[in-house]
Short mmCIF file of all heavy atoms in Angstrom, two decimals:
data_model
loop_
_atom_site.label_atom_id
_atom_site.label_comp_id
_atom_site.label_asym_id
_atom_site.label_seq_id
_atom_site.Cartn_x
_atom_site.Cartn_y
_atom_site.Cartn_z
N MET A 759 67.86 158.68 97.81
CA MET A 759 66.57 159.28 97.82
C MET A 759 66.08 159.33 99.25
O MET A 759 65.93 158.31 99.91
CB MET A 759 65.62 158.44 96.94
CG MET A 759 64.21 158.88 97.03
SD MET A 759 63.14 157.99 95.94
CE MET A 759 63.61 158.73 94.41
N ALA A 760 65.87 160.50 99.72
CA ALA A 760 65.57 160.73 101.13
C ALA A 760 64.27 160.07 101.58
O ALA A 760 64.22 159.51 102.66
CB ALA A 760 65.52 162.22 101.41
N ARG A 761 63.25 160.13 100.78
CA ARG A 761 61.96 159.58 101.19
C ARG A 761 62.02 158.07 101.40
O ARG A 761 61.33 157.55 102.26
CB ARG A 761 60.88 159.91 100.19
CG ARG A 761 60.49 161.35 100.20
CD ARG A 761 59.33 161.59 99.29
NE ARG A 761 58.92 162.97 99.38
CZ ARG A 761 58.02 163.50 98.61
NH1 ARG A 761 57.43 162.78 97.70
NH2 ARG A 761 57.70 164.77 98.75
N LEU A 762 62.79 157.39 100.60
CA LEU A 762 62.89 155.92 100.72
C LEU A 762 64.10 155.50 101.54
O LEU A 762 64.29 154.32 101.79
CB LEU A 762 62.97 155.27 99.34
CG LEU A 762 61.75 155.43 98.46
CD1 LEU A 762 62.02 154.79 97.11
CD2 LEU A 762 60.55 154.81 99.11
N GLN A 763 64.93 156.44 101.91
CA GLN A 763 66.19 156.16 102.61
C GLN A 763 67.04 155.18 101.79
O GLN A 763 67.59 154.22 102.34
CB GLN A 763 65.91 155.64 104.02
CG GLN A 763 65.23 156.65 104.89
CD GLN A 763 65.03 156.19 106.31
OE1 GLN A 763 65.33 155.07 106.65
NE2 GLN A 763 64.50 157.06 107.12
N LEU A 764 67.13 155.45 100.50
CA LEU A 764 67.97 154.68 99.60
C LEU A 764 69.10 155.54 99.10
O LEU A 764 68.95 156.74 98.93
CB LEU A 764 67.15 154.18 98.39
CG LEU A 764 66.05 153.20 98.65
CD1 LEU A 764 65.28 152.96 97.37
CD2 LEU A 764 66.59 151.90 99.19
N GLY A 765 70.21 154.92 98.80
CA GLY A 765 71.32 155.64 98.24
C GLY A 765 71.13 155.87 96.76
O GLY A 765 70.24 155.33 96.11
N ARG A 766 72.00 156.70 96.21
CA ARG A 766 71.92 157.05 94.80
C ARG A 766 72.03 155.82 93.89
O ARG A 766 71.26 155.66 92.94
CB ARG A 766 73.05 158.03 94.47
CG ARG A 766 73.04 158.48 93.02
CD ARG A 766 74.20 159.34 92.72
NE ARG A 766 74.09 160.58 93.49
CZ ARG A 766 74.70 161.70 93.18
NH1 ARG A 766 75.49 161.76 92.14
NH2 ARG A 766 74.55 162.77 93.91
N SER A 767 72.96 154.93 94.20
CA SER A 767 73.15 153.74 93.36
C SER A 767 71.91 152.86 93.37
O SER A 767 71.51 152.34 92.31
CB SER A 767 74.33 152.92 93.87
OG SER A 767 75.52 153.65 93.75
N ALA A 768 71.28 152.70 94.51
CA ALA A 768 70.07 151.87 94.60
C ALA A 768 68.95 152.49 93.77
O ALA A 768 68.21 151.77 93.06
CB ALA A 768 69.65 151.71 96.05
N VAL A 769 68.81 153.80 93.82
CA VAL A 769 67.77 154.47 93.05
C VAL A 769 68.03 154.30 91.57
O VAL A 769 67.12 154.00 90.78
CB VAL A 769 67.65 155.96 93.42
CG1 VAL A 769 66.72 156.70 92.48
CG2 VAL A 769 67.20 156.10 94.86
N TYR A 770 69.27 154.47 91.14
CA TYR A 770 69.58 154.30 89.71
C TYR A 770 69.34 152.86 89.27
O TYR A 770 68.91 152.62 88.14
CB TYR A 770 71.01 154.75 89.40
CG TYR A 770 71.13 156.24 89.24
CD1 TYR A 770 71.87 157.01 90.12
CD2 TYR A 770 70.48 156.89 88.19
CE1 TYR A 770 71.95 158.39 89.96
CE2 TYR A 770 70.57 158.26 88.03
CZ TYR A 770 71.30 159.01 88.92
OH TYR A 770 71.37 160.36 88.78
N ASP A 771 69.59 151.90 90.13
CA ASP A 771 69.29 150.49 89.80
C ASP A 771 67.78 150.31 89.60
O ASP A 771 67.36 149.61 88.67
CB ASP A 771 69.79 149.55 90.89
CG ASP A 771 71.28 149.36 90.89
OD1 ASP A 771 71.94 149.70 89.85
OD2 ASP A 771 71.84 148.89 91.90
N LEU A 772 66.99 150.91 90.46
CA LEU A 772 65.53 150.81 90.34
C LEU A 772 65.06 151.47 89.04
O LEU A 772 64.17 150.96 88.36
CB LEU A 772 64.83 151.45 91.53
CG LEU A 772 65.00 150.74 92.86
CD1 LEU A 772 64.45 151.61 94.00
CD2 LEU A 772 64.34 149.38 92.85
N LEU A 773 65.65 152.60 88.69
CA LEU A 773 65.29 153.28 87.44
C LEU A 773 65.71 152.44 86.23
O LEU A 773 64.94 152.29 85.28
CB LEU A 773 65.98 154.64 87.37
CG LEU A 773 65.51 155.67 88.40
CD1 LEU A 773 66.42 156.88 88.38
CD2 LEU A 773 64.07 156.07 88.16
N ARG A 774 66.92 151.88 86.29
CA ARG A 774 67.42 151.08 85.17
C ARG A 774 66.58 149.84 84.91
O ARG A 774 66.32 149.46 83.77
CB ARG A 774 68.88 150.67 85.44
CG ARG A 774 69.56 149.94 84.30
CD ARG A 774 71.01 149.64 84.58
NE ARG A 774 71.29 149.22 85.97
CZ ARG A 774 71.06 147.99 86.45
NH1 ARG A 774 70.53 147.07 85.68
NH2 ARG A 774 71.34 147.70 87.70
N THR A 775 66.10 149.20 85.98
CA THR A 775 65.32 147.97 85.86
C THR A 775 63.84 148.25 85.61
O THR A 775 63.07 147.30 85.42
CB THR A 775 65.47 147.09 87.10
OG1 THR A 775 65.02 147.81 88.25
CG2 THR A 775 66.91 146.64 87.29
N GLY A 776 63.44 149.52 85.63
CA GLY A 776 62.06 149.86 85.35
C GLY A 776 61.13 149.72 86.54
O GLY A 776 59.91 149.84 86.40
N GLN A 777 61.67 149.48 87.71
CA GLN A 777 60.84 149.35 88.91
C GLN A 777 60.35 150.70 89.41
O GLN A 777 59.36 150.79 90.12
CB GLN A 777 61.62 148.66 90.02
CG GLN A 777 61.99 147.24 89.70
CD GLN A 777 62.80 146.62 90.81
OE1 GLN A 777 62.32 146.53 91.93
NE2 GLN A 777 64.01 146.20 90.50
N LEU A 778 61.06 151.75 89.03
CA LEU A 778 60.72 153.12 89.42
C LEU A 778 60.75 153.98 88.17
O LEU A 778 61.74 153.98 87.44
CB LEU A 778 61.72 153.62 90.46
CG LEU A 778 61.46 154.97 91.11
CD1 LEU A 778 60.11 154.99 91.81
CD2 LEU A 778 62.56 155.30 92.11
N ALA A 779 59.66 154.70 87.92
CA ALA A 779 59.56 155.53 86.73
C ALA A 779 60.13 156.92 86.98
O ALA A 779 60.13 157.41 88.10
CB ALA A 779 58.09 155.65 86.30
N SER A 780 60.63 157.54 85.91
CA SER A 780 61.15 158.89 86.02
C SER A 780 60.99 159.60 84.69
O SER A 780 60.70 158.99 83.67
CB SER A 780 62.64 158.87 86.40
OG SER A 780 63.42 158.38 85.34
N ILE A 781 61.17 160.92 84.73
CA ILE A 781 61.19 161.72 83.53
C ILE A 781 62.47 162.53 83.52
O ILE A 781 63.07 162.76 84.58
CB ILE A 781 59.96 162.66 83.42
CG1 ILE A 781 59.91 163.62 84.63
CG2 ILE A 781 58.68 161.88 83.31
CD1 ILE A 781 58.85 164.70 84.49
N THR A 782 62.91 162.92 82.34
CA THR A 782 64.12 163.71 82.21
C THR A 782 63.74 165.11 81.73
O THR A 782 63.04 165.26 80.75
CB THR A 782 65.10 163.06 81.23
OG1 THR A 782 65.38 161.73 81.68
CG2 THR A 782 66.39 163.82 81.14
N LEU A 783 64.20 166.09 82.46
CA LEU A 783 63.98 167.49 82.10
C LEU A 783 65.36 168.12 81.91
O LEU A 783 66.06 168.40 82.89
CB LEU A 783 63.22 168.22 83.20
CG LEU A 783 61.83 167.70 83.52
CD1 LEU A 783 61.26 168.36 84.75
CD2 LEU A 783 60.91 167.93 82.33
N GLY A 784 65.75 168.29 80.67
CA GLY A 784 67.10 168.76 80.38
C GLY A 784 68.10 167.69 80.81
O GLY A 784 68.01 166.56 80.37
N ARG A 785 68.98 168.04 81.72
CA ARG A 785 69.94 167.06 82.22
C ARG A 785 69.52 166.46 83.56
O ARG A 785 70.20 165.61 84.12
CB ARG A 785 71.30 167.72 82.38
CG ARG A 785 71.88 168.15 81.04
CD ARG A 785 73.22 168.83 81.19
NE ARG A 785 74.15 167.93 81.87
CZ ARG A 785 75.37 168.27 82.25
NH1 ARG A 785 75.79 169.48 82.04
NH2 ARG A 785 76.15 167.42 82.86
N ALA A 786 68.38 166.92 84.09
CA ALA A 786 67.91 166.45 85.39
C ALA A 786 66.91 165.33 85.25
O ALA A 786 66.04 165.37 84.37
CB ALA A 786 67.27 167.61 86.15
N ARG A 787 67.02 164.33 86.09
CA ARG A 787 66.07 163.24 86.12
C ARG A 787 65.18 163.46 87.33
O ARG A 787 65.66 163.70 88.44
CB ARG A 787 66.79 161.90 86.25
CG ARG A 787 65.85 160.73 86.22
CD ARG A 787 66.62 159.43 86.24
NE ARG A 787 67.39 159.25 85.03
CZ ARG A 787 67.02 158.45 84.04
NH1 ARG A 787 65.91 157.77 84.12
NH2 ARG A 787 67.78 158.33 82.97
N ARG A 788 63.87 163.42 87.10
CA ARG A 788 62.90 163.66 88.17
C ARG A 788 61.98 162.45 88.31
O ARG A 788 61.60 161.84 87.33
CB ARG A 788 62.05 164.89 87.89
CG ARG A 788 62.85 166.15 87.74
CD ARG A 788 63.42 166.57 89.08
NE ARG A 788 64.13 167.82 88.96
CZ ARG A 788 65.37 168.00 89.42
NH1 ARG A 788 66.00 167.03 90.03
NH2 ARG A 788 65.97 169.15 89.29
N ILE A 789 61.61 162.15 89.55
CA ILE A 789 60.69 161.06 89.82
C ILE A 789 59.37 161.68 90.27
O ILE A 789 59.31 162.30 91.33
CB ILE A 789 61.25 160.13 90.91
CG1 ILE A 789 62.58 159.54 90.46
CG2 ILE A 789 60.24 159.04 91.25
CD1 ILE A 789 63.34 158.81 91.52
N PRO A 790 58.32 161.54 89.45
CA PRO A 790 57.03 162.13 89.82
C PRO A 790 56.49 161.49 91.11
O PRO A 790 56.74 160.33 91.40
CB PRO A 790 56.12 161.79 88.63
CG PRO A 790 57.06 161.45 87.52
CD PRO A 790 58.28 160.91 88.14
N THR A 791 55.71 162.27 91.84
CA THR A 791 55.13 161.79 93.10
C THR A 791 54.32 160.52 92.88
O THR A 791 54.41 159.58 93.68
CB THR A 791 54.26 162.89 93.73
OG1 THR A 791 55.06 164.06 93.90
CG2 THR A 791 53.72 162.47 95.06
N HIS A 792 53.53 160.47 91.81
CA HIS A 792 52.71 159.29 91.59
C HIS A 792 53.55 158.04 91.32
O HIS A 792 53.16 156.93 91.70
CB HIS A 792 51.68 159.51 90.46
CG HIS A 792 52.30 159.62 89.11
ND1 HIS A 792 52.62 158.53 88.36
CD2 HIS A 792 52.68 160.70 88.39
CE1 HIS A 792 53.16 158.93 87.21
NE2 HIS A 792 53.22 160.25 87.21
N ALA A 793 54.71 158.21 90.69
CA ALA A 793 55.58 157.07 90.44
C ALA A 793 56.15 156.52 91.74
O ALA A 793 56.26 155.32 91.93
CB ALA A 793 56.71 157.46 89.50
N LEU A 794 56.49 157.43 92.63
CA LEU A 794 57.00 157.03 93.95
C LEU A 794 55.90 156.32 94.75
O LEU A 794 56.13 155.28 95.37
CB LEU A 794 57.50 158.26 94.70
CG LEU A 794 58.20 158.01 96.02
CD1 LEU A 794 59.37 157.07 95.85
CD2 LEU A 794 58.66 159.33 96.60
N THR A 795 54.69 156.86 94.72
CA THR A 795 53.56 156.25 95.41
C THR A 795 53.27 154.86 94.84
O THR A 795 53.04 153.90 95.59
CB THR A 795 52.31 157.14 95.28
OG1 THR A 795 52.62 158.43 95.78
CG2 THR A 795 51.13 156.58 96.04
N ASP A 796 53.29 154.71 93.50
CA ASP A 796 53.06 153.41 92.87
C ASP A 796 54.13 152.41 93.27
O ASP A 796 53.83 151.24 93.53
CB ASP A 796 53.03 153.55 91.35
CG ASP A 796 51.81 154.32 90.85
OD1 ASP A 796 50.85 154.49 91.64
OD2 ASP A 796 51.83 154.75 89.68
N PHE A 797 55.38 152.86 93.31
CA PHE A 797 56.48 151.98 93.70
C PHE A 797 56.29 151.46 95.12
O PHE A 797 56.42 150.27 95.39
CB PHE A 797 57.82 152.72 93.57
CG PHE A 797 58.98 151.96 94.11
CD1 PHE A 797 59.50 150.88 93.41
CD2 PHE A 797 59.54 152.29 95.33
CE1 PHE A 797 60.57 150.15 93.92
CE2 PHE A 797 60.59 151.58 95.85
CZ PHE A 797 61.12 150.51 95.14
N ILE A 798 55.96 152.36 96.04
CA ILE A 798 55.77 151.98 97.42
C ILE A 798 54.58 151.02 97.56
O ILE A 798 54.67 150.01 98.26
CB ILE A 798 55.59 153.23 98.32
CG1 ILE A 798 56.89 154.02 98.35
CG2 ILE A 798 55.14 152.84 99.73
CD1 ILE A 798 56.76 155.39 98.98
N ARG A 799 53.50 151.31 96.90
CA ARG A 799 52.31 150.45 96.94
C ARG A 799 52.65 149.05 96.42
O ARG A 799 52.23 148.06 97.03
CB ARG A 799 51.18 151.07 96.15
CG ARG A 799 49.88 150.30 96.26
CD ARG A 799 48.71 150.98 95.54
NE ARG A 799 48.44 152.26 96.18
CZ ARG A 799 48.47 153.43 95.55
NH1 ARG A 799 48.80 153.49 94.27
NH2 ARG A 799 48.20 154.55 96.16
N THR A 800 53.36 148.98 95.33
CA THR A 800 53.74 147.69 94.75
C THR A 800 54.60 146.90 95.74
O THR A 800 54.39 145.70 95.93
CB THR A 800 54.51 147.89 93.43
OG1 THR A 800 53.66 148.58 92.51
CG2 THR A 800 54.94 146.58 92.83
N ARG A 801 55.58 147.58 96.34
CA ARG A 801 56.45 146.88 97.33
C ARG A 801 55.65 146.39 98.52
O ARG A 801 55.89 145.29 99.03
CB ARG A 801 57.57 147.81 97.78
CG ARG A 801 58.57 148.17 96.69
CD ARG A 801 59.35 146.96 96.19
NE ARG A 801 60.19 146.40 97.20
CZ ARG A 801 61.51 146.47 97.23
NH1 ARG A 801 62.14 147.09 96.27
NH2 ARG A 801 62.17 145.91 98.21
N LEU A 802 54.72 147.19 99.01
CA LEU A 802 53.88 146.77 100.15
C LEU A 802 53.02 145.57 99.77
O LEU A 802 52.86 144.63 100.57
CB LEU A 802 53.01 147.93 100.62
CG LEU A 802 53.74 149.04 101.35
CD1 LEU A 802 52.79 150.22 101.60
CD2 LEU A 802 54.35 148.55 102.64
N ASP A 803 52.46 145.58 98.56
CA ASP A 803 51.65 144.45 98.10
C ASP A 803 52.48 143.18 97.99
O ASP A 803 52.02 142.09 98.34
CB ASP A 803 51.00 144.77 96.74
CG ASP A 803 49.91 145.83 96.85
OD1 ASP A 803 49.48 146.13 97.98
OD2 ASP A 803 49.52 146.37 95.79
N GLN A 804 53.71 143.32 97.50
CA GLN A 804 54.60 142.15 97.39
C GLN A 804 54.94 141.58 98.75
O GLN A 804 54.97 140.36 98.94
CB GLN A 804 55.91 142.55 96.66
CG GLN A 804 55.73 142.82 95.20
CD GLN A 804 56.99 143.37 94.57
OE1 GLN A 804 57.94 143.75 95.25
NE2 GLN A 804 56.99 143.44 93.24
N GLU A 805 55.18 142.44 99.71
CA GLU A 805 55.51 141.97 101.06
C GLU A 805 54.30 141.32 101.72
O GLU A 805 54.45 140.36 102.46
CB GLU A 805 56.03 143.11 101.92
CG GLU A 805 57.42 143.55 101.55
CD GLU A 805 57.99 144.60 102.48
OE1 GLU A 805 57.46 144.74 103.60
OE2 GLU A 805 58.95 145.26 102.09
N ALA A 806 53.11 141.85 101.47
CA ALA A 806 51.90 141.29 102.06
C ALA A 806 51.58 139.91 101.47
O ALA A 806 51.07 139.04 102.17
CB ALA A 806 50.72 142.22 101.82
N ALA A 807 51.95 139.71 100.20
CA ALA A 807 51.70 138.42 99.52
C ALA A 807 52.69 137.35 99.95
O ALA A 807 52.43 136.16 99.80
CB ALA A 807 51.72 138.62 98.02
N ALA A 808 53.82 137.76 100.46
CA ALA A 808 54.88 136.80 100.80
C ALA A 808 54.63 136.11 102.12
O ALA A 808 53.88 136.37 102.93
CB ALA A 808 56.22 137.50 100.87
#
């Protein structure tokens, strides 16, 4: 995923574990902008709390 600079396997791991939300349209899997924003916000909050 270009925006996060993550590889395909890492993105699929995030999808599988429910850390990143997606929708399926036909055979394509899409990640809505708000899901990506929520994921980034959550990660930033976790890092700030650590």
Side-chain angles (χ1 to χ4, degrees):
M759 172 176 286
R761 288 186 177 173
L762 295 177
Q763 296 183 356
L764 294 174
R766 181 185 295 202
S767 296
V769 171
Y770 279 115
D771 286 342
L772 292 171
L773 294 170
R774 185 177 40 78
T775 59
Q777 296 178 59
L778 186 59
S780 69
I781 59 172
T782 304
L783 299 171
R785 294 179 59 185
R787 183 176 294 258
R788 300 290 183 230
I789 300 170
T791 304
H792 69 84
L794 186 56
T795 304
D796 292 344
F797 172 75
I798 293 170
R799 185 176 296 121
T800 300
R801 293 296 295 252
L802 288 173
D803 290 346
Q804 289 173 348
E805 287 185 18

